[in-house]
Amino acid sequence: RELAPGAYWAPGWLTLEQQAWIVARFREWVQGPVPLRGAVVNGHEMSVKTVCLGWHWRPYRYSREAVDVNGNRVLGFPDWMVRLGRRALAEVDPDLAESYSPDTALVNYYDAQARMGMHQDKDEASSAPVVSLSIGDTCRFRFGNTENRGRPYEDIDLASGDLFVFGGPSRLAYHGIPKVYPGTAPQGCGLEEGRINITMRVTGLQG
Ligand code: MD5
Ligand code: FE
């Protein structure tokens, strides 16, 4: 369903088998050159922990090396994820899908206490859509407006397997995760506790 212009929600888009396969890759990524870490924003460590593919994100910029962790180069952005991103976008905008080339993924892990405050994703130099996939515990997702952190907003529950695409005017909407519902991950998704969210993005950077 289209929540707002350019914001599309496809519940249950990933099969349980696909979810479990992606969780197995996640377990490899976190054993890779750069561990999961909470980024430090305004002197505070985020409760959401992140590992990146392609480009390393830290507040307000991207780099190839995880300069705020251990300086290692991050893992490459996998080809299978480019294809998955195109298939996701094809669900909502077939014309955009074939030329969509995400080059970075922020893979976020939320434990039962983790929260993400209302923010805009504007560290990318491209206006290409963001493709978001959720696995594990259900969370409350707050989808706001493009003007400020407050009302009007709409709260929806994002469950394991859900796809969200943020494009067009919704690309710069404020959004956040006020709550995770512990113990709600479905049997077979590969995650016993917590929530994984993958956001594929186009950085608009070269090199
Ligand atoms: C999450 N992650 O569920 C969300 C999904 C993040 C983040 O917010 O920055 O890692 S991505 C949500 C998103 C991206 C771009 C635009 C909009 C939402 N939006 O217009 O609401 O862990
Ligand atoms: Fe965001």
Side-chain angles (χ1 to χ4, degrees), residues 106 108 110 116-117 119-122 130 141 173 175-176 199 201:
L106 274 64
N108 286 333
Y110 295 73
M116 191 180 285
H119 67 280
Q120 295 170 293
D121 291 3
K122 50 180 187 185
V130 173
F141 175 71
H175 59 279
T199 53
R201 303 150 187 246

